[in-house]
Amino acid sequence: MDAVHASLCLCDGSTAQLSFSVSEEVDKGTVVGNLAKDLQINVHDLETRDLRVVSGNSKKYFDVDLKTGALFVCDRIDREELCPNTAKCSLNIEAILSNPMHLHRIEVQIIDINDNAPSFHEKEKTFNISESSFTGERYLLPMANDADTGSNSVKSYKLSPNDYFSLEVQSGGQHSESAELVLQKSLDREKQSVIHLTLTALDGGKPARSGTLKIVVNVIDTNDNVPVFSQPLYKAHVNENAPSQTSIVTVSATDLDEGINSEIVYSFIKRGNFNPEALFSINPDTGEITVTGKVDYEENPAYDIRVQASDKGTPSRSVHGKVLVEVIDVNDNTPEIIITSLMSPVKEDAEVGTVVALVTVTDKDGGKNGLTNARILGEVPFKLKLNYKNYYSLTVDGPLDRESVSQYDVTIIATDEGTPPLSSTSVIPVYISDVNDNAPLFSEPVINVYVKENSAVGATIFTISAVDHDIGENAKVTYSSLDGISKSIPITSVVNINSETGDIVSLQSFNFEETKTFQFKVQATDSGVPPLSSNVTVNVLILDENDNNPTILAPYSEHGSVNSESIPYSAEAGYFVAKIRAVDADSGYNALLSYHLSEPKGNNLFRIGTSTGEIRTKRRMSDNDLKTHPLVVLVSDNGEPSLSATVTIDVVVVESMADIQTQFRHVPIKEESFSDLNLYLLIAIVSVSVIFLLSLISLIAVKCHRTDGSFSRYGAPMITTHPDGSWSYSKSTQQYDVCFSSDTLKSDVVVFPAPFPPVDGELISINGGDTFTRTQTLPNKEKVRVMMHKTQGFQ
């Protein structure tokens, strides 16, 4: 049998009801379920949200592990102690999460284990049976008790083998069951005057447990008729809390004998844990049963009473009867209001819906008498929200203002549905705490401070001031700086801010050659909890002139020496060539550098990032490009007047990457094995490329075949390739150069000019740069790009 089991159900729109089950007597630390998993909460959030479990019992049986979210057993659980004489046993606990507050009801079913054996109150039972008794006569046996329930309770009885009696067990449904001795063979006192038997009670556990009772049968004669009740079962009703001596029912039995052998005496039979004499009495002469004790519906809704009718013969003969007394519930219990998890005080900025307290309303009555309703009396900014059955949450239902009302006495009234209804009230004091809701304010968001160069060290250059409308600690303002002049120069090395007065004091004599202007922020923070703050930007302006040139950083040297970089011929547009880095001793705009490329006229192969200094190619190489490109990089600041520095770089075009690697062979290269994944990728790329090229050739061939016959007179077409991977389609009159870039959405067709003079002076764009008229002479082998529409066929 599984020790634990969990399930989740939604009891209403806002509260989750978790159900777990655990066997009784499990070891401490046994995990019942995982609250983090069932409530779908990240395990790392359990501590910050202060997950805890609250039990309505005086004893805490479960706890939660905040590291794993596991709900585990922390104390011994005895089902028989928790739920005596009940078939179902459960413990209700509450899982509470903070930030925000959430409540989850948890019901833990306690599963019974077979830890109790059946037992009889008597060790020995004696029967005086006349030898004239008829076969088939029955004798009621004591009932065995088992504290376990369900399948672990008493399930069967066994009688030791004998020649005279058999055992018959009759089920009494939900009330009880009876074991009876049945006489199977006439008794003969002369043969055997005393018969010893053993009754064994077995429960349904695995393995089964048992208890025994010794039975002594004394065989006697005389008085050969037994009393007979007028009916096998008597049913009666009695109101709860009925006054003493209230008559319930009268039982009646008759005896066919005459004289003293027919006179009947009535009595109760004590069975198991229940002794009818504790609550009822029976008149031994008349058989009238009356109330003598307090009949409580909440303790027992029905009583199964066994009565005995015995004659006065010698020996006496008796018979037993059954009386079922049902108790009618009356509304005698007022609802009970239990307040748990009270959060007080409540912050005045608490949002609507914030849980203030958990309220449980219980009523021990049954039926309508046990149904309750709860509500709040008066007008308060709170409401009572029904979570599940009789579980409520007291939540915030409106704005709170501690300055107006610092305490609310919330009165809750609970009323049952009995006739007449009973009610009870409970007052919950809710205190409202103040919050720091006003931040310090500056008169303006930006403050400009002008400081003369070479001002005296220690002079107060400005006084910051902020106003906070709160009072007390919430209005006490302190000042501090937020950032520095730069990452390497903290503001605390330049100026000092008095945290109490806001005075800004210079710590050095300012020199414009070192600093023209610097900016920092001052934060004003109050002493509230949590503290509130506001910022103001302080601009310190120092006037001076721009007298520092930019300086080129290694590995490149300034103008006067030549630096060299190499790129492959197959480099694509955007290929990284080099990065120029420079610094300027000035600050502000005087140190804001921009990079420019001074190129020879007609060279548009390279570009440089104005702010980054990265040199990249603007397009792919062509056969007409030079093999060596001298580049002059101009680095300028933004001062007035602007100062600059230059550096010269010769960019050499090589045939392959191997040539570039040869130049840097002194750099160690970490060899990496060519993985299977790279091999598969290479095969896939080559396959797709071959298929694409074959398709392209076929398409061009079909197009050429369908061309007007007038073109054929200029000669057969010819397809050639170029080192950059492009294809050319040529005829005697014109040539098409088909280029495919790495961008799958673009395809270009480059047209060579025809040898005959053009008709008109249309403009043709060369690589997106300068334009020429069709009447101009183009450079040898210069490709003229005609931008075509993007098509899905060339992807």
Side-chain angles (χ1 to χ4, degrees), residues 240-309:
E240 181 183 13
N241 302 324
S244 180
Q245 303 305 317
T246 299
S247 179
I248 299 176
V249 68
T250 299
V251 298
S252 176
T254 58
D255 194 310
L256 298 178
D257 293 331
E258 293 182 350
I260 195 171
N261 290 335
S262 65
E263 295 179 8
I264 306 298
V265 177
Y266 301 96
S267 63
F268 287 130
I269 300 176
K270 180 180 178 181
R271 301 180 68 245
N273 294 325
F274 176 60
N275 184 6
E277 294 180 354
L279 297 174
F280 308 97
S281 67
I282 186 170
N283 189 309
D285 298 324
T286 64
E288 182 185 16
I289 299 176
T290 58
V291 175
T292 58
K294 182 180 179 181
V295 180
D296 192 350
Y297 175 86
E298 287 70 44
E299 291 184 3
N300 202 334
Y303 296 94
D304 183 9
I305 303 174
R306 299 303 171 93
V307 296
Q308 179 176 273

Side-chain angles (χ1 to χ4, degrees), residues 49-322:
R49 296 196 63 183
D50 190 24
L51 175 63
R52 63 187 187 277
V53 292
V54 178
S55 173
N57 293 14
S58 59
K59 196 173 184 180
K60 185 174 182 181
Y61 294 96
F62 303 95
D63 207 343
V64 63
D65 187 349
L66 294 181
K67 295 182 179 179
T68 63
L71 181 67
F72 63 91
V73 177
C74 64
D75 203 346
R76 175 178 176 267
I77 301 176
D78 187 356
R79 192 202 65 81
E80 288 73 26
E81 178 183 347
L82 287 173
C83 310
N85 303 322
T86 59
K88 182 180 179 181
C89 183
S90 63
L91 289 174
N92 291 320
I93 59 177
E94 301 161 355
I96 301 173
L97 287 167
S98 302
N99 304 317
M101 175 76 73
H102 285 286
L103 164 69
H104 300 276
R105 307 300 310 180
I106 301 176
E107 182 183 35
V108 181
Q109 297 288 340
I110 308 302
I111 301 173
D112 181 50
I113 64 173
N114 192 21
D115 58 342
N116 292 280
S119 62
F120 295 88
H121 279 281
E122 303 99 323
K123 297 299 181 180
E124 185 177 291
K125 178 66 176 178
T126 301
F127 291 92
N128 296 318
I129 302 176
S130 173
E131 64 176 348
S132 62
S133 298
F134 299 101
T135 58
E137 287 188 9
R138 300 170 180 272
Y139 305 92
L140 184 64
L141 294 172
M143 184 176 64
N145 299 306
D146 195 330
D148 295 324
T149 61
S151 61
N152 295 326
S153 62
V154 177
K155 292 299 180 183
S156 62
Y157 292 89
K158 291 194 307 182
L159 187 65
S160 59
N162 66 92
D163 296 330
Y164 296 95
F165 297 94
S166 65
L167 182 67
E168 183 171 331
V169 179
Q170 296 179 349
S171 175
Q174 61 178 344
H175 300 292
S176 64
E177 66 178 12
S178 301
E180 298 176 336
L181 277 178
V182 181
L183 185 62
Q184 298 291 335
K185 182 181 177 181
S186 297
L187 299 176
D188 189 350
R189 185 177 178 277
E190 285 68 28
K191 289 184 179 180
Q192 187 175 357
S193 60
V194 179
I195 302 173
H196 295 277
L197 303 174
T198 301
L199 177 65
T200 303
L202 299 171
D203 63 22
K206 295 182 180 179
R209 293 193 171 197
S210 63
T212 60
L213 172 69
K214 293 181 179 181
I215 300 175
V216 178
V217 178
N218 296 317
V219 182
I220 56 178
D221 350 294
T222 70
N223 196 18
D224 55 349
N225 287 290
V226 296
V228 177
F229 279 105
S230 59
Q231 58 190 67
L233 174 64
Y234 293 88
K235 289 186 178 180
H237 299 84
V238 62
N239 288 333
E240 181 183 13
N241 302 324
S244 180
Q245 303 305 317
T246 299
S247 179
I248 299 176
V249 68
T250 299
V251 298
S252 176
T254 58
D255 194 310
L256 298 178
D257 293 331
E258 293 182 350
I260 195 171
N261 290 335
S262 65
E263 295 179 8
I264 306 298
V265 177
Y266 301 96
S267 63
F268 287 130
I269 300 176
K270 180 180 178 181
R271 301 180 68 245
N273 294 325
F274 176 60
N275 184 6
E277 294 180 354
L279 297 174
F280 308 97
S281 67
I282 186 170
N283 189 309
D285 298 324
T286 64
E288 182 185 16
I289 299 176
T290 58
V291 175
T292 58
K294 182 180 179 181
V295 180
D296 192 350
Y297 175 86
E298 287 70 44
E299 291 184 3
N300 202 334
Y303 296 94
D304 183 9
I305 303 174
R306 299 303 171 93
V307 296
Q308 179 176 273
S310 305
D311 61 25
K312 296 182 179 179
T314 303
S316 176
R317 302 191 69 179
S318 62
V319 67
H320 67 274
K322 182 176 182 180

Side-chain angles (χ1 to χ4, degrees), residues 460-471:
T460 300
I461 62 176
F462 197 78
T463 299
I464 295 291
S465 178
V467 178
D468 195 311
H469 296 292
D470 292 323
I471 60 174

Side-chain angles (χ1 to χ4, degrees), residues 435-488:
V435 295
N436 184 26
D437 52 358
N438 288 287
L441 296 177
F442 290 97
S443 59
E444 51 189 14
V446 178
I447 298 175
N448 294 323
V449 178
Y450 298 91
V451 181
K452 291 183 179 181
E453 186 178 13
N454 299 321
S455 60
V457 177
T460 300
I461 62 176
F462 197 78
T463 299
I464 295 291
S465 178
V467 178
D468 195 311
H469 296 292
D470 292 323
I471 60 174
E473 289 296 316
N474 292 337
K476 184 179 180 181
V477 180
T478 57
Y479 304 92
S480 61
S481 60
L482 289 180
D483 50 13
I485 299 176
S486 66
K487 293 182 179 180
S488 59

